[in-house]
Amino acid sequence: MEQDNALIDQARAAIDQGIVLAQDWLLSPAAWSQFGLLIVAYLLARVVNAKLTPRLERFLKPDAESNSILSQARRFILQFLPLILPLLAYGFTAVGEIVTRSIFGSGAVIAFGKRVFLFLAARALARDIIKDPFLRTLAKFVLVPATALYALGFFDQVIETLGNTSVSLGNISFSALAILRGIVAGSLLFWLGQWSNSQSAAYIEQQPMRPAIRQLVVKVTEFSIFGIAFLLLMNIMGISLSSLAIIGGAVGVGLGFGLQKIASNFISGVILLVEGQATVGDYVELDGGEAGTIIKMTARATFLETFDGRWIVVPNEDFITTRVVNYSDSGSANRYEVDFSVSYDTDINKIPAIIEAAVAKHPEVLTEPEAPDCELRGFGDSGIDFAVEFWVNGIDDGKNKYTSDVLFFVWNALKDNGIEIPYPHRVVEIKGNMPT
């Protein structure tokens, strides 16, 4: 209640001071001279801006097709051309302030005008230049109000009031200014960290290294960037890092017992990235029956996508503690086989050559490490059983379906050579007299 009354009294005093100041300005020849200098400074700024801006635009504007670093830098600078007018007015007004103070011994009016031009520059920055939604919001609700308070002369009083207003959280007390400063600085730091992380990740993705190592470098860079941002934020808020270390140690011991699985999965993820035994794009199958293509690897888990479009989230620890079958292994060949049967009336000595030649015509079937191989597997109840083995680059499911294609080749080859594919025969024996 007392703080509210103090704020009201300060506001009333500021209003009374403003009224007295306005009366002095209206009745003072020095004030009218400063008003004149403000108008002259603004008009001069407009003339210089009209001459300077088109030339700078022609000089800085790069070719539309160019994407070099220099062209990107020139495009970046071009965004700030709307600031030229208010900044020129600010500079000319500053020169006018020096003149009026040397002649009249005061420059309150022209100093106020100079601060107004600075406010107009901040508003132009927030309205016309900043494109990022987060930065535009920050400029709109923090930068513009701060420059408005500075222009009106209330900035120092507001800062002092916020500094004297405390907020308690248990035994810890913060000033409202420290909290506000932490929110603004934290938002900027973590936005900058996110931007830096995306830029560094894009750069790392272009480097010639193993996918697993690339993922590890991206994660280490990400943790480093946000770790540095967090430490800077603690320093800006005035929190002692030694106290933070003590608190962090105590919290770490408590979390260590409750988050053992998370820590285990995190370490397992690092091992996976370093060893590269499985990486994004590989088709894997675990002992538990989970199978799919790895589409994403995070610090805690690995995401598999099955051929029917479902996602399976597998903890990283399972890749370390259980047996994993990697069918892809960075694009290595895989062997498959299809079974078929022929009639007992067939000359089976001709079968291997016919089938091997037919399967070899498939565009995806390889000759290395081994060409198609047709083998006799046994004598069944209804026919003679064969199997043909073949090698392909890829997984036999989803969009590939090599087995289906090869079965078509086998069927057509047998039909073209007049070879019968058997079907089950059953002999029915009827005891006793036949029914009439």
Side-chain angles (χ1 to χ4, degrees):
M1 188 66 179
E2 293 179 357
Q3 289 183 350
D4 294 340
N5 292 333
L7 288 174
I8 294 173
D9 293 339
Q10 289 181 2
R12 288 175 178 173
I15 293 173
D16 294 339
Q17 184 180 0
I19 294 173
V20 173
L21 186 61
Q23 292 174 349
D24 292 341
W25 286 359
L26 292 174
L27 300 176
S28 170
W32 285 106
S33 301
Q34 293 176 53
F35 277 123
L37 282 174
L38 276 175
I39 295 173
V40 170
Y42 178 72
L43 293 176
L44 182 60
R46 288 190 66 90
V47 172
V48 175
N49 179 65
K51 299 288 185 181
L52 183 61
T53 299
R55 297 181 180 179
L56 285 176
E57 189 171 358
R58 286 194 300 270
F59 174 74
L60 292 173
K61 191 173 183 179
D63 295 334
E65 298 81 10
S66 178
N67 288 318
S68 63
I69 297 178
L70 181 60
S71 298
Q72 294 177 10
R74 291 163 70 179
R75 290 190 185 97
F76 178 76
I77 297 173
L78 275 172
Q79 300 178 86
F80 294 91
L81 291 184
L83 288 180
I84 292 179
L85 177 59
L87 291 180
L88 281 173
Y90 179 85
F92 292 146
T93 306
V95 175
E97 182 183 6
I98 296 174
V99 174
T100 55
R101 289 191 184 278
S102 62
I103 295 176
F104 299 105
S106 65
V109 175
I110 201 167
F112 172 74
K114 183 179 70 172
R115 295 194 299 268
V116 169
F117 288 134
L118 185 63
F119 165 75
L120 294 176
R123 192 183 67 170
L125 182 68
R127 184 185 59 188
D128 303 325
I129 297 174
I130 298 177
K131 303 301 181 184
D132 184 83
F134 170 76
L135 291 181
R136 173 174 284 188
T137 302
L138 199 62
K140 182 179 179 181
F141 293 103
V142 177
L143 179 63
V144 173
T147 52
L149 290 173
Y150 177 71
L152 296 173
F154 297 144
F155 185 77
D156 292 337
Q157 297 178 9
V158 171
I159 292 297
E160 183 180 358
T161 302
L162 291 175
N164 294 330
T165 303
S166 61
V167 178
S168 298
L169 297 174
N171 295 328
I172 304 176
S173 179
F174 296 97
S175 68
L177 178 62
I179 295 175
L180 181 61
R181 185 170 56 190
I183 293 173
V184 175
S187 301
L188 281 173
L189 282 173
F190 282 94
W191 177 88
L192 183 61
Q194 185 178 15
W195 178 83
S196 302
N197 181 59
S198 62
Q199 296 297 315
S200 60
Y203 175 77
I204 293 170
E205 290 292 339
Q206 298 174 357
Q207 303 309 306
M209 60 180 70
R210 283 196 306 139
I213 298 298
R214 187 183 295 116
Q215 290 289 326
L216 178 61
V217 173
V218 168
K219 291 300 179 185
V220 170
T221 304
E222 180 180 358
F223 289 140
S224 300
I225 289 173
F226 284 102
I228 293 172
F230 177 75
L231 293 177
L232 287 174
L233 178 61
M234 294 299 101
N235 189 37
I236 290 172
M237 292 188 65
I239 298 176
S240 174
L241 295 181
S242 59
S243 302
L244 186 66
I246 296 173
I247 297 173
V251 173
V253 172
L255 292 179
F257 291 102
L259 303 179
Q260 293 182 38
K261 282 292 183 182
I262 293 179
S264 175
N265 287 321
F266 176 79
I267 296 172
S268 299
V270 174
I271 295 173
L272 279 174
L273 293 174
V274 172
E275 290 186 348
Q277 66 182 24
T279 187
V280 174
D282 288 354
Y283 184 86
V284 297
E285 182 178 353
L286 282 73
D287 264 358
E290 302 89 351
T293 302
I294 299 176
I295 58 172
K296 184 168 65 172
M297 301 179 72
T298 65
R300 186 191 66 84
T302 298
F303 292 77
L304 307 182
E305 184 177 17
T306 63
F307 287 114
D308 54 4
R310 292 179 173 85
W311 281 22
I312 303 175
V313 181
V314 181
N316 290 329
E317 185 182 13
D318 291 356
F319 281 85
I320 303 299
T321 58
T322 63
R323 185 177 61 182
V324 179
V325 180
N326 190 335
Y327 289 92
S328 298
D329 193 21
S330 300
S332 63
N334 294 294
R335 191 188 73 172
Y336 299 97
E337 65 178 46
V338 295
D339 300 321
F340 64 96
S341 299
V342 298
S343 170
Y344 273 102
D345 297 331
T346 306
D347 184 359
I348 62 174
N349 297 297
K350 298 179 181 179
I351 296 299
I354 294 173
I355 298 302
E356 290 170 3
V359 174
K361 295 178 183 178
H362 192 289
E364 302 296 331
V365 172
L366 305 176
T367 57
E368 296 291 339
E370 187 179 354
D373 180 29
C374 183
E375 300 176 351
L376 176 64
R377 292 296 174 86
F379 302 100
D381 295 337
S382 302
I384 303 173
D385 299 327
F386 284 88
V388 59
E389 299 172 347
F390 58 94
W391 288 79
V392 290
N393 269 327
I395 306 301
D396 185 53
D397 204 343
K399 61 183 179 180
N400 299 312
K401 297 186 178 178
Y402 300 115
T403 302
S404 175
D405 291 345
V406 169
L407 282 171
F408 273 105
F409 276 75
V410 170
W411 171 274
N412 292 328
L414 294 177
K415 286 297 183 182
D416 291 343
N417 287 273
I419 299 173
E420 181 184 351
I421 298 176
Y423 53 87
H425 292 76
R426 297 289 182 265
V427 176
V428 179
E429 182 180 351
I430 299 175
K431 294 183 178 182
N433 297 325
M434 290 289 293
T436 59

